[in-house]
Each structure stands twice: as structure tokens, then as C-alpha cells.
Amino acid sequence: MANSFKSGFVTLVGRPNAGKSTLINAVVGHKVAITSNTAQTTRHRFRAIVTREDMQMIMVDTPG
């Protein structure tokens, strides 16, 4: 059987306080992004890597 491993980037873009960092924390399974009720908490772009048996996803969180 051919290697079916897949990888790619997912970039989250949206308005401030839309839940982009919260979504990344939920997908990764632990807290990697700071979250707060205050807008503009994420000030710089950062990446989180999710690795599973058959795929790898690089998630990019952008400032709101």
C-alpha cells in the first residue's frame, strides 16, 4: 500500500475575539495559545503542530 501520510497548513484569520486561539487549543488538546476576554491578546503570528498517525497539520494563529 502506498504511503497515505498527508500534511498541510491551516491558517486562522478573523476578527478580534472570534475564538481563533481557543480553536487551536481545542484541536491541539492542550493550552498552546494565550486566551482572554480582552481583544488583541494575540499580538504575533504563531504556529502549533498537530501530528496524528496519518497526518500532520501546522496551524497558524494570526492576530485579530
Side-chain angles (χ1 to χ4, degrees):
M1 182 175 184
N3 187 357
S4 62
F5 188 83
K6 307 257 189 274
S7 65
F9 283 85
V10 175
T11 302
L12 301 177
V13 179
R15 297 178 59 92
N17 266 13
K20 298 178 297 290
S21 297
T22 302
L23 177 62
I24 284 186
N25 287 340
V27 171
V28 171
H30 59 276
K31 189 173 181 176
V32 294
I34 298 171
T35 58
S36 113
N37 291 331
T38 306
Q40 302 287 324
T41 299
T42 303
R43 300 207 176 218
H44 302 285
R45 177 184 60 204
F46 78 90
R47 295 175 188 95
I49 301 172
V50 179
T51 303
R52 304 277 192 256
E53 185 176 315
D54 60 340
M55 67 92 181
Q56 185 175 54
M57 175 173 43
I58 298 95
M59 300 186 75
V60 183
D61 190 7
T62 58

